Amino acid sequence: MSPWAGRTMPGCFSMTRRFGRWLVGLPPTLFLLLFFVAPSLIMIVASFRLAGEYGGLAPLVEHGRWQLTLETYRFFFSDFIYVEIFIRSFSVALATTLICVLLAYPLAWLIARSPKKHQDLMVLLAVLPFASNFLIRVYAWMIILGPQAAVARALNSLLAMFGFEPVTLLFSPFAVLVGMVYVHLPFMILPLYTNLARHDPALLDAAQDLGANAWQRFWEVTWPLSLPGIYAGSVLVFIPVLGMFAIPDILGGTGDILIGNVIKEQFLGTRDWPFGATLSLMLTLAVLACAGLAAWLARRGVGRHA
Amino acid sequence: MALLELRKLTRRFGDFSAVDNVSLSIESGEFVTLLGPSGCGKTTILRMIAGFDLPDVGQILLDGSNIADIPPEKRPLHTVFQSYALFPHMTVADNVAFPLRMAHFDKAAIAAKVHEALESVYLSDRARAYPHELSGGRKQRVALARSLVNRPRLLLLDEPLAALDAKLREEMQHELIDLQREIGITFIFVTHAQDEALALSHRVAVMNRGRIEQYDEPSKIYGFPRNRFVADFIGNTNLLEVAVTEATPTHLRLAAAGLGDIVSPPREGTRAGQKGWFSVRPEQVRIGGHLDGELENHYSGKVRSFIYVGDVTTYTVELADGTAIEALLSNSAPGRARFFEVGDDVAVGWPHDAGVFLHD
Ligand SMILES: Nc1ncnc2c1ncn2[C@@H]1O[C@H](COP(=O)(O)OP(=O)(O)O)[C@@H](O)[C@H]1O
Ligand SMILES: [Mg+2]
């Protein structure tokens, strides 16, 4: 064997390895370029273009001149209604996320504390609603919350007993919130359960041994250690809720439209694509800002537990 | 009055008694070790003392009063867990401050006590580190400081050194001895390593299958094992099956199959005709080309094998009837790493006051 063999081998090896790494990284990179970067660029360009006469977009170059304008942005900021809808959408997303945390936490905790052999079944039950069609599940709430259903009748007779006016549950912000929470709850349960199931039970024993009562054990140990799970679940709930239009469409009243509905309307209704593009860009920016904030918060919290 | 007294503790899991009628008394300031093979019930005893588990039968008395109704968080004792169980989201200082915060000490007192506790385990400079940034030995010290900072009456340590490598373990053994002596808190230490138990403790409780076989000082445990299990579990020993042929106040005469007579020290309650075991430690056995007549017990044989470990060499000598006797020879003479070769004709023997007769 040549005395140099030993020297060249590692070089070859590291080169194949670099190539291998590059090869493995290629598909995700392509995927991102194709399905995230390119559409975003198209949207950015579209937001500066003019609407076509019958929907779609006007030609980019006409009579030798670029047809670009800041009109959509001027329009967005000139009418307070859009900012208002943004604020409402973010409020609904925030409320949904908070309610999901409150509902999912005890459930996830219960599952994580159950005997190991039952946990898989319980998780399965928690995500089982996904087995049926999304629209069917939302329409089901239309029936449950409808004026003739038991819930509304019981509530209204109770209100009447105390001399209050009857209320309508359906086609209200309340119904939208119920639908949002119902649909997104599993996205909070799963990461929370995964987090809680990983906690070392010896930590709770240690806390108790060192003088912590049940509440202190929760607030001092379980809660801080579960924050990464809450952050993960919040991202999974908050962002989809922001873009959701089907639930407000079905369960909300005319005043309950969210930004998702407005965007959908621009593309499918009024056919003002440039303005639709502007709205979605604004939404994307807002979501990125939120994700950045969440990541920053999570890193502050998680860095310590890594 | 004893600080802690276990009275006839029994803990069953189904039909199986993990702890079986255990009685133990521990004085204030003592370093007591529960020693026994894995699964013999050591952890179960600690968990009952700490309050995480309750005995099916028996009582645990602290300062003379039963603590059965006191929940773990109210018992004036702490546990050092084998996994250390440090809170990963808290700094070293916050970990150590934890029991003080739970006891509602004020901020200034907490800071002072935490500082002092970290000082005592040489970790003042790591106060702001997180547990995952520390080595195993340092995590161990944080766990110790956290458990000692509010001065419990009793510290329970469940195999705290098992996860450390040999060198570090020895270092921590010395630190534990010093720490315990300095602060004077009573330690109950659990281990399955007999050398660790002998090195650390004032008294050792040797356990087997949920029972305590012997509770005594290390030198008594090693020198005067009460039965075959203890003799065998602690250190190395030669065990010979014997029958008592003569029992007097000054000596016993034992008949070992194929070996002939053995003269051994007397033992109370021994009668001629009894059967049992004779145990003699390798370092009590002398080995030589020929042994002069001063040894009451001597036998000839051949060197079958030897193990050289540096400071000493252990020879296994096969006697005429096939019985193997281990003899230990110190290598302190320079250049004399071994004295005998495999196959050499040698004699082994021990004086009449060496070894013990064991009933069972
Ligand atoms: N919760 C339990 N349920 C059933 N068996 C147990 C339980 N805890 C301990 N045991 C059994 O009791 C015996 C003693 O356990 P343990 O006290 O942990 O032993 P050690 O600490 O001496 O290794 C073991 O055989 C173990 O399997
Ligand atoms: Mg154990």
Side-chain angles (χ1 to χ4, degrees):
Chain A
M1 198 166 66
S2 128
W4 304 107
R7 288 204 178 182
T8 49
M9 288 283 279
C12 285
F13 181 64
S14 88
M15 234 163 75
T16 36
R17 202 155 73 170
R18 217 172 306 152
F19 179 69
R21 210 175 291 166
W22 188 77
L23 208 64
V24 170
L26 191 61
T29 311
L30 274 181
F31 184 91
L32 273 179
L33 281 175
L34 210 60
F35 295 107
F36 180 72
V37 177
S40 298
L41 288 175
I42 292 174
M43 290 293 267
I44 292 172
V45 174
S47 72
F48 292 107
R49 290 174 66 176
L50 300 175
E53 229 164 306
Y54 307 102
L57 299 164
L60 191 54
V61 185
E62 213 168 26
H63 311 304
R65 287 179 52 203
W66 289 94
Q67 302 285 308
L68 293 174
T69 165
L70 284 171
E71 181 59 22
T72 56
Y73 291 90
R74 200 194 57 75
F75 188 62
F76 178 82
F77 288 108
S78 69
D79 197 340
F80 191 67
I81 182 89
Y82 297 109
V83 179
E84 203 183 297
I85 292 174
F86 256 79
I87 291 173
R88 181 159 67 229
S89 303
F90 273 82
S91 310
V92 169
L94 196 66
T96 306
T97 308
L98 286 179
I99 296 171
C100 279
V101 170
L102 289 178
L103 293 179
Y105 205 104
L107 197 63
W109 186 83
L110 213 68
I111 298 175
R113 279 305 198 87
S114 302
K116 274 270 175 288
K117 56 181 178 202
H118 298 153
Q119 291 188 4
D120 287 345
L121 179 69
M122 294 170 88
V123 171
L124 184 73
L125 288 176
V127 298
L128 201 59
F130 283 121
S132 74
N133 181 281
F134 167 78
L135 284 176
I136 291 178
R137 281 181 287 142
V138 179
Y139 274 111
W141 277 104
M142 224 170 134
I143 299 167
I144 297 171
L145 296 175
Q148 297 310 312
V151 181
R153 296 220 310 231
L155 179 68
N156 280 328
S157 59
L158 196 72
L159 286 174
M161 258 168 47
F162 293 96
F164 290 104
E165 293 290 308
V167 294
T168 46
L169 298 177
L170 195 55
F171 307 131
S172 70
F174 170 77
V176 173
L177 205 55
V178 167
M180 291 289 198
V181 168
Y182 167 73
V183 166
H184 295 94
L185 191 59
F187 293 109
M188 186 63 80
I189 295 175
L190 282 180
L192 253 181
Y193 157 73
T194 312
N195 171 289
L196 290 171
R198 273 198 330 241
H199 289 198
D200 178 2
L203 294 180
L204 291 178
D205 279 355
Q208 186 171 17
D209 187 74
L210 295 166
N213 62 30
W215 268 114
Q216 289 168 321
R217 296 200 287 279
F218 178 76
W219 284 115
E220 297 281 347
V221 180
T222 306
W223 175 256
L225 287 178
S226 64
L227 288 180
I230 291 181
Y231 295 141
S234 297
V235 170
L236 292 181
V237 171
F238 191 82
I239 292 173
V241 169
L242 267 186
M244 174 64 71
F245 58 80
I247 292 175
D249 258 1
I250 300 169
L251 298 177
T254 43
D256 299 321
I257 55 164
L258 302 180
I259 189 65
N261 302 82
V262 181
I263 294 172
K264 186 196 104 181
E265 187 59 22
Q266 300 312 310
F267 285 100
L268 303 180
T270 51
R271 302 191 140 260
D272 186 348
W273 285 20
F275 189 52
T278 305
L279 288 174
S280 356
L281 268 180
M282 290 311 204
L283 184 60
T284 307
L285 285 181
V287 166
L288 283 179
C290 287
L293 186 73
W296 180 73
L297 280 174
R299 186 146 358 101
R300 265 190 15 162
V302 188
R304 321 165 167 183
H305 329 150
Chain B
M1 182 170 49
L3 172 68
L4 184 81
E5 197 181 336
L6 309 183
R7 274 198 196 152
K8 304 193 172 200
L9 281 194
T10 295
R11 177 72 174 103
R12 295 188 198 96
F13 297 110
D15 287 341
F16 167 75
S17 292
V19 174
D20 189 3
N21 198 25
V22 162
S23 295
L24 198 67
S25 157
I26 293 164
E27 301 297 325
S28 182
E30 253 192 318
F31 193 134
V32 167
T33 295
L34 303 181
L35 169 68
S38 181
C40 71
K42 307 180 296 286
T43 297
T44 307
I45 290 184
L46 284 200
R47 286 181 63 82
M48 289 192 288
I49 298 173
F52 292 116
D53 201 356
L54 293 173
D56 294 309
V57 183
Q59 286 143 24
I60 301 170
L61 308 181
L62 190 72
D63 290 322
S65 53
N66 194 334
I67 56 171
D69 295 330
I70 305 178
E73 62 266 35
K74 298 241 168 72
R75 298 192 180 189
L77 50 88
H78 293 324
T79 308
V80 173
F81 294 85
Q82 185 177 338
S83 62
Y84 315 132
L86 298 179
F87 303 123
H89 54 298
M90 296 183 195
T91 61
V92 165
D94 288 341
N95 264 282
V96 177
F98 188 84
L100 300 171
R101 280 202 297 121
M102 295 304 106
H104 303 294
F105 278 80
D106 64 68
K107 274 210 164 73
I110 290 178
K113 281 169 188 279
V114 166
H115 182 76
E116 189 192 346
L118 287 179
E119 199 116 275
S120 72
V121 294
Y122 316 108
L123 277 175
S124 314
D125 56 327
R126 304 295 283 156
R128 292 163 150 273
Y130 283 92
H132 70 89
E133 299 167 325
L134 302 181
S135 65
R138 287 185 164 174
K139 282 185 198 162
Q140 179 68 78
R141 293 211 203 99
V142 177
L144 272 171
R146 186 177 69 173
S147 298
L148 290 171
V149 70
N150 67 345
R151 303 284 137 155
R153 301 294 315 277
L154 191 60
L155 188 68
L156 312 175
L157 304 104
D158 193 355
E159 313 221 13
L161 307 183
L164 306 179
D165 61 58
K167 194 93 185 149
L168 195 55
R169 188 155 67 221
E170 209 179 305
E171 212 176 293
M172 283 304 296
Q173 286 177 3
H174 287 292
E175 270 184 40
L176 273 180
I177 294 175
D178 292 345
L179 193 64
Q180 199 266 342
R181 189 181 308 137
E182 253 165 59
I183 58 179
I185 288 174
T186 311
F187 277 25
I188 302 182
F189 186 92
V190 157
T191 183
H192 61 262
Q194 44 100 9
D195 53 343
E196 198 164 278
L198 297 182
L200 291 174
S201 336
H202 297 130
R203 283 201 281 178
V204 178
V206 183
M207 292 191 59
N208 184 29
R209 294 204 235 146
R211 293 169 166 275
I212 292 187
E213 301 283 357
Q214 188 169 357
Y215 182 39
D216 230 328
E217 293 162 29
S219 61
K220 296 267 175 51
I221 296 268
Y222 186 81
F224 304 97
R226 222 178 55 83
N227 58 27
R228 192 181 158 199
F229 176 82
V230 177
D232 204 22
F233 191 71
I234 311 290
N236 275 331
T237 199
N238 295 294
L239 277 172
L240 302 168
E241 202 168 356
V242 295
V244 181
T245 52
E246 188 187 327
T248 72
T250 57
H251 68 273
L252 297 179
R253 193 170 291 278
L254 311 169
L259 213 71
D261 267 9
I262 298 172
V263 182
S264 89
R267 175 152 185 188
E268 239 173 87
T270 308
R271 294 177 315 280
Q274 260 181 335
K275 288 193 187 314
W277 300 83
F278 176 72
S279 158
V280 61
R281 302 274 181 200
E283 69 271 19
Q284 295 177 309
V285 178
R286 286 207 230 147
I287 179 170
H290 50 86
L291 293 171
D292 16 17
E294 86 211 42
L295 296 179
E296 284 80 359
N297 308 298
H298 57 94
Y299 314 91
S300 53
K302 272 186 196 314
V303 175
R304 188 203 281 169
S305 62
F306 57 83
I307 296 170
Y308 171 75
V309 293
D311 51 350
V312 295
T313 302
T314 304
Y315 293 91
T316 304
V317 174
E318 191 171 313
L319 305 186
D321 69 310
T323 308
I325 298 284
E326 284 189 0
L328 191 143
L329 213 51
S330 161
N331 291 331
S332 50
R336 300 293 303 276
R338 5 173 161 118
F339 296 81
F340 304 105
E341 295 295 338
V342 172
D344 280 359
D345 285 316
V346 291
V348 290
W350 55 90
H352 66 94
D353 57 356
V356 284
F357 170 71
L358 308 166
H359 298 266
D360 52 354

